[in-house]
Amino acid sequence: TDYLTGLYNTRYLYNRLEEEFSRAHRYDIPLACLMVDIDRFKEYNDRFGHLVGDAILKHTAKMIKESLRQVDLVGRYGGEEFLVILTETDTEQAMLAAERIRIDIEKEQFNIYDELLNITISIGISSFPENSDDSAVLIDKADLALYRAKEAGRNKTFRSS
């Protein structure tokens, strides 16, 4: 697990993604990946300090985890990025889940060390079999969709093309 957020770490997520990907292939069931990034995280760290940044990471992680089903997996991918693996979930269902997470975080007022902060996130989505039949490519495509969401002004959800 990740020491700060308590979520799965990247190595564990990669292993589980391979397992879930194999299962999706074998049984011909959909699988989706969400790449989630906290918008303007560096600015919060620079303005309020790393303690506030860490608290933002923890609270965001908690909100993402609480919005998912027990069978779904979420981990800290690195820095302020999270990877979500949605089992037995097609692109449309993934879009609904991602938008629910994005809107919940947008509406939440983070009360951190007497600072009231409004945080937003951007999300990129990719899915099997629609976008790739390779797990590494699936992550890359979710990351590219995330980049497009950031370029489009942040606080958005984009699906892989």
Side-chain angles (χ1 to χ4, degrees):
T1 58
D2 174 64
Y3 74 96
L4 180 65
T5 62
L7 298 177
Y8 296 124
N9 63 27
T10 307
R11 183 182 340 171
Y12 181 81
L13 274 178
Y14 279 136
N15 290 337
R16 285 301 312 277
L17 178 59
E18 288 304 318
E19 291 171 13
E20 292 301 330
F21 212 80
S22 292
R23 192 170 74 85
H25 262 287
R26 188 175 326 121
Y27 297 107
D28 195 30
I29 53 177
L31 174 77
C33 287
L34 310 180
M35 190 66 74
V36 180
D37 186 78
I38 299 172
D39 295 329
R40 296 185 168 86
F41 182 74
K42 185 182 179 325
E43 292 175 22
Y44 291 109
N45 257 348
D46 291 348
R47 182 170 176 204
F48 300 107
H50 290 283
L51 280 177
V52 170
D54 287 352
I56 290 170
L57 284 169
K58 286 185 216 176
H59 192 68
T60 302
K62 180 178 182 267
M63 289 186 71
I64 293 170
K65 185 168 178 59
E66 288 176 352
S67 72
L68 300 173
R69 305 167 300 181
Q70 277 192 306
V71 297
D72 297 325
L73 302 164
V74 61
R76 186 169 175 202
Y77 192 69
E80 69 276 10
E81 283 189 331
F82 303 93
L83 177 64
V84 178
I85 301 167
L86 302 173
T87 60
E88 299 183 26
T89 304
D90 65 23
T91 304
E92 292 307 314
Q93 294 165 326
M95 191 71 171
L96 291 172
E99 275 296 284
R100 184 179 64 245
I101 294 167
R102 187 190 64 75
I103 290 167
D104 285 350
I105 289 174
E106 179 185 34
K107 288 180 179 177
E108 179 85 359
Q109 191 156 54
F110 287 50
N111 187 350
I112 299 173
Y113 299 109
D114 297 326
E115 297 289 344
L116 294 176
L117 305 172
N118 294 321
I119 306 298
T120 61
I121 59 173
S122 297
I123 304 174
I125 300 171
S126 65
S127 59
F128 165 81
E130 184 179 332
N131 300 121
S132 179
D133 62 357
D134 178 274
S135 60
V137 173
L138 206 64
I139 290 173
D140 286 343
K141 288 196 172 196
D143 201 38
L144 287 171
L146 168 65
Y147 183 74
R148 286 184 24 242
K150 293 269 190 193
E151 275 189 330
R154 296 180 177 85
N155 193 25
K156 298 194 182 325
T157 302
F158 273 53
R159 64 179 88 191
S160 180
S161 49

